[in-house]
Amino acid sequence: MDDEWNLQQERMYKMHQGHESMHVEMILIFVCILIIAQIVLVQWRQRHGRSYNLVTLLQMWVVPLYFTIKLYWWRFLSMWGLFSVITSYILFRATRKPLSGRTPRLVYKWFLLIYKLSYAFGVVGYLAIIFTMCGLHLFFKIKARDSMDFGIVSLFYGLYYGIMGRDFAEICSDYMASTIGFYSVSGMPTRSLSDSICAICGQKIIVELDEEGLIENTYQLSCNHIFHEFCIRGWCIVGKKQTCPYCKEKVDLKRMISNPWERTHILYGQILDWLRYLVAWQPMVIGIVQVINYSLGLE
């Protein structure tokens, strides 16, 4: 194996020998395109956030499918298909008018499940990679390649479906809240909010603030609007919303999530938002660089 690796390295060195200036030029082109793309994407997101999110979501959905079919990754394709079918049904339910009273809970339960599963897969994958790098796989007589492959695949599944789940949850949250009428993306709510109604699901709040509920409690934001605890957690953590669904006052997530173990979910969500760029736009940036290099004769 070592001799074969050395031969490959030697062939690679001979192939690229004498092309140092060309390599420098290709690196400069890549860096320039990367900077320009980052500026364009940031400006697009700030000025037209809705279209940016929709196009990014489409990229996230289609780009991995292309590589999956090209590389014959049938296991990922089957899971992608199952996720797409169920999520499409959830999206269909969330966009119906009039909105069923059970739909908001169904939507948040599904995406909360996806979020927790992706979090678990991500942690397991990360630990498996560290496990292999430290050589601990030898104690269990597991091949390093098998252990590393398991870790990388698990980490990829966790990150990919975590990003997809959060993006679809945000779309469903906007549609449902706008349909109920207590929330509007750009304007004032079309309905006035009663003290006994949750603005997220539109259902009556039964448990009082100072009572302990059997399934969930009632939560009050700093703006004094009250919600079902499950609804407001789904709205803020899963749906990526950081404002009150009714008055749009900023939500203090640190006060809402007192358990330090739960705060890791917020950090994980922020990591997913950052990785969205790598999955959705990085392949396109690399493609543009290759087209420029080809047109300039830099191969």
Side-chain angles (χ1 to χ4, degrees):
M1 288 294 294
D2 291 339
D3 293 339
E4 183 179 351
W5 172 259
N6 291 332
L7 287 174
Q8 290 179 354
Q9 292 295 314
E10 188 175 349
R11 291 195 201 101
M12 185 69 67
Y13 176 76
K14 289 181 179 179
M15 184 184 300
H16 294 281
Q17 190 175 12
H19 299 161
E20 288 78 8
S21 59
M22 182 184 295
H23 294 162
V24 172
E25 192 172 349
M26 293 173 71
I27 292 174
L28 289 175
I29 292 174
F30 176 75
V31 172
C32 291
I33 295 298
L34 195 63
I35 294 174
I36 294 172
Q38 186 66 27
I39 294 173
V40 171
L41 290 174
V42 169
Q43 291 296 318
W44 183 13
R45 183 176 182 179
Q46 291 177 350
R47 298 173 183 271
H48 306 282
R50 193 177 184 85
S51 62
Y52 170 84
N53 290 332
L54 288 175
V55 173
T56 302
L57 180 59
L58 182 63
Q59 290 268 98
M60 288 286 301
W61 210 359
V62 173
V63 170
L65 179 63
Y66 167 77
F67 288 105
T68 297
I69 296 175
K70 185 177 181 180
L71 299 174
Y72 306 107
W73 292 344
W74 305 122
R75 181 173 53 189
F76 177 83
L77 184 61
S78 60
M79 292 190 65
W80 181 91
L82 180 63
F83 172 83
S84 298
V85 169
I86 298 177
T87 302
S88 297
Y89 171 73
I90 296 294
L91 186 61
F92 173 80
R93 289 283 301 270
T95 54
R96 294 307 91 195
K97 293 182 179 181
L99 189 69
S100 171
R102 297 181 179 180
T103 299
R105 293 299 182 92
L106 173 65
V107 170
Y108 286 126
K109 282 182 179 179
W110 166 247
F111 288 116
L112 184 62
L113 174 63
I114 293 297
Y115 185 75
K116 289 184 176 180
L117 286 175
S118 70
Y119 184 79
F121 268 92
V123 171
V124 169
Y126 175 76
L127 292 177
I129 293 173
I130 298 299
F131 180 87
T132 306
M133 294 178 65
C134 294
L136 298 177
H137 62 282
L138 298 175
F139 292 100
F140 299 92
K141 297 181 179 180
I142 302 175
K143 294 181 179 180
R145 182 176 179 179
D146 295 339
S147 180
M148 185 62 75
D149 286 348
F150 172 78
I152 293 174
V153 169
S154 298
L155 184 61
F156 173 75
Y157 275 40
L159 295 175
Y160 176 74
Y161 288 108
I163 295 171
M164 292 290 289
R166 280 171 61 83
D167 283 357
F168 275 113
E170 184 178 21
I171 294 175
C172 291
S173 297
D174 282 341
Y175 269 108
M176 291 188 302
S178 298
T179 301
I180 293 172
F182 295 120
Y183 170 80
S184 175
V185 177
S186 57
M188 294 296 293
T190 57
R191 294 172 60 188
S192 59
L193 180 64
S194 171
D195 291 338
S196 60
I197 299 296
C198 174
I200 297 175
C201 67
Q203 301 298 305
K204 187 176 179 62
I205 294 177
I206 301 175
V207 181
E208 298 294 333
L209 282 171
D210 54 351
E211 291 183 7
E212 188 73 22
L214 293 176
I215 300 177
E216 65 176 347
N217 299 322
T218 299
Y219 190 85
Q220 185 177 41
L221 298 180
S222 57
C223 56
N224 295 326
H225 292 126
I226 59 176
F227 308 90
H228 297 117
E229 184 180 14
F230 184 81
C231 290
I232 194 63
R233 284 175 178 267
W235 174 267
C236 293
I237 299 175
V238 181
K240 298 193 296 182
K241 305 296 184 183
Q242 307 229 348
T243 57
C244 172
Y246 186 70
C247 68
K248 296 186 180 179
E249 181 176 320
K250 188 171 179 61
V251 175
D252 187 0
L253 292 178
K254 292 182 179 179
R255 189 175 70 89
M256 189 178 78
I257 303 176
S258 57
N259 187 344
W261 291 105
E262 293 185 4
R263 293 183 183 179
T264 58
H265 290 284
I266 300 177
L267 177 60
Y268 180 65
Q270 294 171 346
I271 294 174
L272 292 181
D273 291 339
W274 178 75
L275 288 173
R276 181 191 295 105
Y277 166 78
L278 295 179
V279 178
W281 295 108
Q282 195 66 16
M284 181 171 290
V285 171
I286 293 175
I288 294 173
V289 171
Q290 289 180 340
V291 170
I292 294 175
N293 288 337
Y294 181 79
S295 63
L296 296 177
L298 303 174
E299 300 183 31

